[in-house]
Amino acid sequence: MHQFHDLCRRSLDDIRAQGRYRTFTPLEKQAARFPLYLRPDGTEVLVWSSNDYLGMGNSPVLIEAACEAARKMGAGAGGTRNISGTSPYHDALEAELASLHGKQAALLFTSGFVSNQGALSTILNSLPDWVVFSDAKNHASMIAGIKGSKATCRIFRHNDVAHLEELLREAPPAAPKLIAFESVYSMDADISPIGAICDLAARYGAMTYLDEVHAVGMYGPHGGGVSERDGVAHRVDIIEGTLAKAFGAHGGYIAGDAEVVDWIRSCAAGFIFTTALPPMIVAAALASVRHVRGDAARREKLFERAGTLKRRLEAAGLPVLPSSSHIVPLHVGEAALCREVSRRLLDEFSMYATPINYPTVPRGAERLRFTPGPFHTDAMMDRLVEALGVILRGEERRAA
């Protein structure tokens, strides 16, 4: 026990010395004034790094649906899906998500992390000689699912289709194969070539597993993700998504062929042995998905806002990184400096943006990650650009 406590102490000291120690910033979300939050002292803070990309978490559509379900069914699910934890809301949401992605079935998990970890580990433990091909920048939840299996893992360079084909060609022809990748990579703000990866999967007899958590609700005519936008969703075997980002609620899911989804439902420990999502959360998510599927204007506003912020940062000569998505990363390049920029934004300018440090990104690639949404105004962008100019380049602050 003493050795373990000593390890904890030394490890935390090392993390602090590297400038990577993470502290929580206490902020109270204001549903009626999003993206404005409150600090404990009552100061209003403009938040730039929420994953509530469309602002749906504050929508009366979700709030009323959650309240109605809570009054009707109470707060918690009361058990796993197999032990009284399934409600009509759960069934309706799974049907809605299957329809969103053009799949036969869908399955809810308690989070996007659990859906990736549970589904991937279950699939990759099903046969003795699986080979999984994983993008180098896949999310930690996908890596956890892969590492929790006995599969042979081959990592291909990020979005490098030629390298992926090289690895596929080297694999045993008869071995079951699965390609695991994302659509929008949230730290690099780029998008994968889904169609080209599906071409390789067909050529080499591989399954495809696509994480769309940073795309569902936003991309495609109905918010089905980049695979819907690109017209290739039908070529993807399993689509995984979240209800906690653009849909503004909570939970994760997979969608695919009915038999595959039913088998994962029957075998995945991460699904079987955990309490179901609360009915009030599922009701809110269901209301959100139904609303967002028809709200093209909200999606258009999101992308317009993201494009506007990119242009303003570039025009100001600030180190904005290339982005082909709605995410706007700004390069800082050093862990302690990244934390300091974030601190000064909050303390001096009442704005919050999360510092992204190693191991989330490589050392030297530290950045701030901005997620402008439909409710970020031009005036808010003016404030941000001015603040970054003062902090990063020592410009004089304009008079209020």
Side-chain angles (χ1 to χ4, degrees):
M1 182 65 76
H2 173 73
Q3 288 177 315
F4 174 65
H5 279 248
D6 186 53
L7 180 145
C8 292
R9 192 177 304 109
R10 285 186 287 104
S11 179
L12 287 170
D13 287 345
D14 185 50
I15 290 171
R16 290 188 183 97
Q18 295 178 42
R20 295 193 296 112
Y21 185 74
R22 302 183 185 199
T23 57
F24 298 137
T25 302
L27 294 170
E28 179 182 326
K29 194 175 186 181
Q30 299 184 90
R33 289 177 59 74
F34 182 80
L36 295 168
Y37 290 54
L38 289 176
R39 297 186 79 173
D41 64 2
T43 304
E44 201 164 54
V45 174
L46 172 58
V47 170
W48 282 101
S49 54
S50 172
N51 285 340
D52 188 358
Y53 295 130
L54 294 172
M56 286 300 297
N58 319 286
S59 168
V61 172
L62 275 71
I63 294 169
E64 293 307 314
C67 290
E68 180 183 350
R71 284 190 291 265
K72 183 178 178 181
M73 301 187 66
T80 69
R81 291 289 295 277
N82 293 312
I83 307 175
S84 73
T86 293
S87 74
Y89 293 116
H90 292 81
D91 293 336
L93 179 54
E94 286 174 338
E96 191 74 28
L97 291 167
S99 172
L100 174 67
H101 294 293
K103 299 299 183 185
Q104 294 176 349
L107 182 67
L108 291 171
F109 288 80
T110 50
S111 73
F113 191 106
V114 176
S115 57
N116 270 336
Q117 183 182 40
L120 282 168
S121 63
T122 302
I123 293 167
L124 296 173
N125 278 321
S126 63
L127 295 167
D129 52 353
W130 274 104
V131 182
V132 58
F133 302 86
S134 177
D135 188 286
K137 294 193 175 179
N138 275 343
H139 190 262
S141 58
M142 302 177 79
I143 295 168
I146 292 167
K147 286 186 173 181
S149 76
K150 303 181 187 71
T152 298
C153 181
R154 304 300 305 274
I155 298 171
F156 62 94
R157 290 187 292 270
H158 179 52
N159 280 347
D160 189 331
V161 177
H163 189 222
L164 173 58
E165 181 167 22
E166 180 184 324
L167 297 178
L168 284 162
R169 194 183 299 119
E170 293 172 354
K177 304 173 185 68
L178 182 142
I179 304 170
F181 62 111
E182 301 181 38
S183 57
V184 175
Y185 288 84
S186 66
M187 294 303 143
D188 287 80
D190 57 354
I191 295 175
S192 65
I194 301 173
I197 291 174
C198 288
D199 290 342
L200 288 180
R203 189 175 308 153
Y204 291 92
M207 282 181 60
T208 46
Y209 183 103
L210 175 64
D211 177 320
E212 287 257 40
V213 297
H214 291 280
V216 289
M218 296 170 283
Y219 294 77
H222 306 99
V226 178
S227 57
E228 184 196 23
R229 184 198 70 176
D230 293 353
V232 294
H234 64 286
R235 303 182 64 195
V236 178
D237 292 295
I238 296 176
I239 293 174
E240 184 267 348
T242 185
L243 302 161
K245 293 182 171 63
F247 290 126
H250 188 74
Y253 65 89
I254 60 166
D257 290 345
E259 194 170 52
V260 172
V261 171
D262 193 23
W263 177 78
I264 292 172
R265 180 189 68 84
S266 302
C267 298
F271 172 82
I272 296 169
F273 298 106
T274 191
T275 300
L277 287 166
M280 64 179 182
I281 299 300
V282 179
L286 175 61
S288 181
V289 175
R290 287 175 171 169
H291 176 89
V292 167
R293 290 182 73 172
D295 195 350
R298 190 180 289 249
R299 279 189 285 281
E300 291 168 4
K301 185 66 173 177
L302 167 74
F303 289 109
E304 183 276 323
R305 293 285 78 194
T308 297
L309 182 59
K310 291 174 193 176
R311 288 191 297 273
R312 289 190 176 210
L313 292 171
E314 289 168 356
L318 292 163
V320 60
L321 294 168
S323 167
S324 56
S325 70
H326 61 286
I327 296 165
V328 185
L330 189 80
H331 181 259
V332 178
E334 199 274 320
L337 178 60
C338 197
R339 288 180 53 80
E340 178 65 8
V341 173
S342 177
R343 184 198 65 77
R344 289 188 62 189
L345 270 175
L346 182 61
D347 292 344
E348 298 175 24
F349 297 90
S350 295
M351 285 183 279
Y352 179 71
T354 309
I356 307 296
N357 291 332
Y358 176 85
T360 308
V361 295
R363 288 186 174 91
E366 289 84 359
R367 66 199 59 185
L368 297 179
R369 175 179 172 274
F370 300 105
T371 55
F375 300 101
H376 285 95
T377 65
D378 286 349
M380 291 174 178
M381 293 185 189
D382 289 340
R383 284 178 55 194
L384 177 63
V385 171
E386 179 193 355
L388 290 170
V390 172
I391 296 169
L392 294 175
R393 298 198 301 226
E395 297 172 1
E396 289 190 13
R397 188 169 182 175
R398 294 193 293 268

